[in-house]
C-alpha cells in the first residue's frame, strides 16, 4: 500500500516544480510582455483544465508514443521511452496541473500595482532585478496558492496518467490508479484506506492553505492600520 503513496508524492512533487517554473514563466510572458497571439497561447495553457483527462492522456499518447513524432524521435535518437514510465506519469501530472498554477500566478501578477515596478525602474533596477525583488515577493501568496493547488491536482491525477503511464505496481501505479484497480478487483479494504488517505490529505492541504492566506491578509491589514 505504501508504494503508490510514495510514488504519487514523488510524481506530484516533480510535476509541481515544473508547473511552477512553467506557470511563472508563461504568466509573466503573456501578461507582462507584448506577445503576439496572447489569447491563443493562454487558451492552450488552460485547455487541459477543461478537457477530460482521458482526452489529454490520449493526446499525450499520440505525441509521446512510439509512433508519435516526439516519442519516435526520442526513442530513435536517445533510446528514451516515455510511455509506461515514471517520466510519462510526471508529464501527465504536470500538464493537468499547469493550468491551476498559471491561473493563480496570473491573478497574482495582475493585482500588482504597476507603480511599484515603475518606481523600481526609476531607481535604475534592471528587468530581472524587478522581477526577483518586486514582482515575485508581491505575488508570493498567489504563487503559494498555485503550488498547493497544483500539487493537489497532480497527486489526484488519474485519467491522463492511466492513458500514458498505465498501472504498473512499483513503477507507475499512483494512488488514484491503485484505488480504481482495487475496486475493480474487489479489494474494498485497500480502496477504502487509500480513499481515506487522499481525502484527509486534500482536506489538510486546502484547509492549511486557506488558514495561511487568511492569517496573512489579517496581518497585512493590521500592518497597514
Amino acid at each position: 500500500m505504501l508504494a503508490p503513496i510514495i510514488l504519487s508524492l514523488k510524481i506530484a512533487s516533480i510535476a509541481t516544480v515544473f508547473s511552477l517554473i512553467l506557470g511563472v514563466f508563461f504568466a509573466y510572458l503573456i501578461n507582462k510582455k507584448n506577445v503576439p497571439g496572447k489569447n491563443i497561447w493562454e487558451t492552450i495553457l488552460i485547455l487541459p483544465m477543461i478537457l477530460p483527462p482521458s482526452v489529454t492522456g490520449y493526446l499525450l499518447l499520440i505525441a509521446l508514443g512510439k509512433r508519435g513524432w516526439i516519442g519516435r524521435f526520442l526513442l530513435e535518437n536517445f533510446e528514451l521511452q516515455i510511455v509506461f514510465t515514471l517520466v510519462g506519469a510526471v508529464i501527465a501530472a504536470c500538464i493537468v496541473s499547469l493550468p491551476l498554477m498559471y491561473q493563480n500566478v496570473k491573478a497574482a501578477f495582475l493585482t500588482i500595482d504597476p507603480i511599484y515596478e515603475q518606481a523600481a525602474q526609476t531607481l535604475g533596477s534592471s528587468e530581472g532585478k524587478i522581477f526577483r525583488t518586486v514582482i515575485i515577493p508581491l505575488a508570493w501568496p498567489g504563487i503559494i496558492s498555485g503550488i498547493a493547488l497544483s500539487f493537489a491536482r497532480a497527486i489526484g491525477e488519474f485519467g491522463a496518467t492511466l492513458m500514458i503511464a498505465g498501472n504498473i505496481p512499483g513503477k507507475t501505479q499512483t494512488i488514484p490508479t491503485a484505488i480504481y484497480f482495487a475496486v475493480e478487483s474487489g479489494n474494498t479494504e485497500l480502496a477504502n484506506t487509500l480513499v481515506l488517505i487522499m481525502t484527509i490529505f486534500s482536506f489538510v492541504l486546502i484547509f492549511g492553505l486557506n488558514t495561511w492566506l487568511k492569517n496573512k491578509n489579517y496581518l497585512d491589514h493590521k500592518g497597514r492600520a
Side-chain angles (χ1 to χ4, degrees), residues 3 22 40 64 70 72-73 75 83 85 93 99 111 118 122 169 195 198 204:
L22 294 174
I40 295 176
L64 302 175
I70 298 177
R72 185 170 61 248
F73 172 80
L75 189 61
V83 178
T85 65
T111 59
Q118 293 167 5
T122 59
V195 166
M198 279 292 295
V204 170

Side-chain angles (χ1 to χ4, degrees), residues 135-215:
I135 295 177
I136 291 298
L138 291 175
W140 193 239
I143 294 174
I144 292 295
S145 297
I147 292 173
L149 294 176
S150 296
F151 184 81
R153 180 66 186 87
I155 205 171
E157 164 51 32
F158 172 70
T161 301
L162 186 61
M163 291 289 289
I164 193 170
N167 180 57
I168 306 172
K171 188 176 179 181
T172 63
Q173 186 183 63
T174 59
I175 296 176
T177 56
I179 292 172
Y180 177 80
F181 284 98
V183 173
E184 284 285 297
S185 63
N187 191 350
T188 55
E189 182 180 354
L190 176 60
N192 291 340
T193 303
L194 291 175
V195 166
L196 181 62
I197 291 172
M198 279 292 295
T199 303
I200 294 174
F201 175 81
S202 299
F203 178 87
V204 170
L205 182 65
I206 301 304
F207 181 82
L209 174 64
N210 288 335
T211 302
W212 179 78
L213 289 174
K214 287 179 181 178
N215 289 338

Side-chain angles (χ1 to χ4, degrees), residues 35-223:
V35 179
K38 285 185 177 182
N39 288 337
I40 295 176
W41 291 114
E42 189 169 55
T43 301
I44 293 173
L45 284 170
I46 299 174
L47 199 58
M49 188 166 60
I50 308 300
L51 288 174
S54 57
V55 173
T56 302
Y58 181 68
L59 293 174
L60 288 173
L61 193 60
I62 291 175
L64 302 175
K66 292 181 180 180
R67 297 182 181 179
W69 63 278
I70 298 177
R72 185 170 61 248
F73 172 80
L74 293 175
L75 189 61
E76 292 177 353
N77 293 276
F78 303 99
E79 296 184 356
L80 179 62
Q81 180 176 321
I82 302 293
V83 178
F84 302 128
T85 65
L86 179 67
V87 175
V90 169
I91 291 174
C94 180
I95 293 296
V96 299
S97 63
L98 179 58
L100 286 171
M101 181 70 75
Y102 171 78
Q103 289 288 71
N104 278 271
V105 177
K106 171 191 172 182
F109 282 174
L110 293 179
T111 59
I112 298 175
D113 194 328
I115 193 171
Y116 294 112
E117 298 175 56
Q118 293 167 5
Q121 287 176 346
T122 59
L123 293 173
S125 296
S126 64
E127 185 176 353
K129 186 175 181 180
I130 293 173
F131 178 78
R132 295 191 309 271
T133 61
V134 177
I135 295 177
I136 291 298
L138 291 175
W140 193 239
I143 294 174
I144 292 295
S145 297
I147 292 173
L149 294 176
S150 296
F151 184 81
R153 180 66 186 87
I155 205 171
E157 164 51 32
F158 172 70
T161 301
L162 186 61
M163 291 289 289
I164 193 170
N167 180 57
I168 306 172
K171 188 176 179 181
T172 63
Q173 186 183 63
T174 59
I175 296 176
T177 56
I179 292 172
Y180 177 80
F181 284 98
V183 173
E184 284 285 297
S185 63
N187 191 350
T188 55
E189 182 180 354
L190 176 60
N192 291 340
T193 303
L194 291 175
V195 166
L196 181 62
I197 291 172
M198 279 292 295
T199 303
I200 294 174
F201 175 81
S202 299
F203 178 87
V204 170
L205 182 65
I206 301 304
F207 181 82
L209 174 64
N210 288 335
T211 302
W212 179 78
L213 289 174
K214 287 179 181 178
N215 289 338
K216 190 178 188 309
N217 289 334
Y218 172 76
L219 292 174
D220 288 344
H221 288 305
K222 187 177 180 180

